[in-house]
């Protein structure tokens, strides 16, 4: 599994967090248990299988909801 931390623009409400969490968990190749959306720091932490899903697809799922991704850090396990 590959670990990723995506830094977003400031999250302004709890429903934003829920939308993002739901969208990321719905992607094939995501370790659903690893998805954490951190409200105070506006970060999304997750683990995913690079054989199935790319970081660009994760970013797109978040951007498509209207939340710009400012920075992405990926670390292979």
């Amino acid at each position: 599994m590959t670990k990723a931390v995506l830094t977003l623009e400031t999250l302004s409400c709890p429903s934003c967090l829920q939308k993002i969490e739901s969208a990321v968990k719905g992607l094939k190749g995501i370790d659903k248990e690893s998805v954490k959306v951190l409200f105070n720091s506006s970060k999304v932490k997750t683990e995913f299988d690079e054989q199935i899903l790319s970081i660009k697809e994760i970013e797109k799922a978040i951007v498509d909801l209207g939340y710009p991704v400012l920075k992405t850090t990926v670390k292979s396990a």
Side-chain angles (χ1 to χ4, degrees):
M1 290 297 240
T2 302
K3 294 183 179 188
V5 178
L6 299 93
T7 303
L8 312 179
E9 280 192 359
T10 303
L11 296 176
S12 57
C13 63
S15 68
C16 300
L17 180 145
Q18 291 173 334
K19 286 181 200 174
I20 294 167
E21 186 176 275
S22 181
V24 173
K25 283 184 175 182
L27 296 170
K28 186 173 181 175
I30 285 285
D31 174 5
K32 291 172 183 31
E33 298 299 316
S34 74
V35 177
K36 291 180 179 47
V37 182
L38 307 171
F39 189 75
N40 292 336
S41 60
S42 298
K43 293 184 190 285
V44 178
K45 294 183 177 185
T46 190
E47 294 182 24
F48 65 102
D49 185 339
E50 280 189 300
Q51 302 292 326
I52 299 171
L53 183 66
S54 74
I55 190 63
K56 293 294 179 197
E57 291 171 297
I58 299 170
E59 289 173 344
K60 183 177 180 336
I62 295 169
V63 169
D64 285 352
L65 292 172
Y67 305 99
V69 177
L70 303 177
K71 179 182 169 188
T72 303
T73 306
V74 177
K75 189 185 292 186
S76 295

